Amino acid sequence: MLVPSNVLAENTLHINEVLVHPASGDKEWVEIYNPEGIDLTGYWIDDDDNFTEDSGNSAKKSLATITEEPDPFHPVIEVSSLFNNSGDHIVLFDTTGSIVD
């Protein structure tokens, strides 16, 4: 008798949660799912899908300032004015400029 094994979600780095267009005085933020504890200092987020050209609303933001507390598997970066409020992309780039998510 064959019994199928459980299928689990991949343990890969990806954008987990985002706050765009917060209440006045608050900042936008992006939460990353990082189950393997990858060093994110060379990673970037942007509002367009081209690493070498900034055709979106704002320049890409380095994840060097990402906050890993209190949960290192769900680090958060606060940004200001990265996303426009009428629809935008949220892209995660790795250290080579390739799209991760």
Side-chain angles (χ1 to χ4, degrees), residues 1-5:
M1 172 197 247
L2 293 174
V3 178
S5 62

PDB file of all heavy atoms in Angstrom, residues 1-5:
ATOM      1  N   MET A   1       0.839  -1.173   0.000  1.00  0.00           N
ATOM      2  CA  MET A   1       0.000   0.000   0.000  1.00  0.00           C
ATOM      3  C   MET A   1       0.886   1.240   0.000  1.00  0.00           C
ATOM      4  O   MET A   1       1.797   1.363   0.809  1.00  0.00           O
ATOM      5  CB  MET A   1      -0.895  -0.021   1.235  1.00  0.00           C
ATOM      6  CG  MET A   1      -1.664   1.259   1.417  1.00  0.00           C
ATOM      7  SD  MET A   1      -2.313   1.407   3.064  1.00  0.00           S
ATOM      8  CE  MET A   1      -4.027   1.303   2.812  1.00  0.00           C
ATOM      9  N   LEU A   2       0.623   2.150  -0.910  1.00  0.00           N
ATOM     10  CA  LEU A   2       1.361   3.400  -0.970  1.00  0.00           C
ATOM     11  C   LEU A   2       0.601   4.478  -0.216  1.00  0.00           C
ATOM     12  O   LEU A   2      -0.599   4.660  -0.399  1.00  0.00           O
ATOM     13  CB  LEU A   2       1.550   3.852  -2.412  1.00  0.00           C
ATOM     14  CG  LEU A   2       2.456   2.978  -3.265  1.00  0.00           C
ATOM     15  CD1 LEU A   2       2.435   3.476  -4.704  1.00  0.00           C
ATOM     16  CD2 LEU A   2       3.865   3.012  -2.729  1.00  0.00           C
ATOM     17  N   VAL A   3       1.337   5.171   0.625  1.00  0.00           N
ATOM     18  CA  VAL A   3       0.736   6.269   1.373  1.00  0.00           C
ATOM     19  C   VAL A   3       1.443   7.546   0.956  1.00  0.00           C
ATOM     20  O   VAL A   3       2.672   7.639   1.059  1.00  0.00           O
ATOM     21  CB  VAL A   3       0.900   6.053   2.899  1.00  0.00           C
ATOM     22  CG1 VAL A   3       0.324   7.214   3.679  1.00  0.00           C
ATOM     23  CG2 VAL A   3       0.256   4.734   3.304  1.00  0.00           C
ATOM     24  N   PRO A   4       0.707   8.543   0.443  1.00  0.00           N
ATOM     25  CA  PRO A   4       1.371   9.782   0.025  1.00  0.00           C
ATOM     26  C   PRO A   4       1.958  10.513   1.226  1.00  0.00           C
ATOM     27  O   PRO A   4       1.384  10.501   2.310  1.00  0.00           O
ATOM     28  CB  PRO A   4       0.255  10.591  -0.627  1.00  0.00           C
ATOM     29  CG  PRO A   4      -1.010  10.028  -0.091  1.00  0.00           C
ATOM     30  CD  PRO A   4      -0.730   8.600   0.259  1.00  0.00           C
ATOM     31  N   SER A   5       3.105  11.094   0.999  1.00  0.00           N
ATOM     32  CA  SER A   5       3.718  11.876   2.067  1.00  0.00           C
ATOM     33  C   SER A   5       3.057  13.243   2.136  1.00  0.00           C
ATOM     34  O   SER A   5       2.424  13.689   1.191  1.00  0.00           O
ATOM     35  CB  SER A   5       5.221  12.021   1.822  1.00  0.00           C
ATOM     36  OG  SER A   5       5.424  12.709   0.618  1.00  0.00           O
TER      37      SER A   5
END
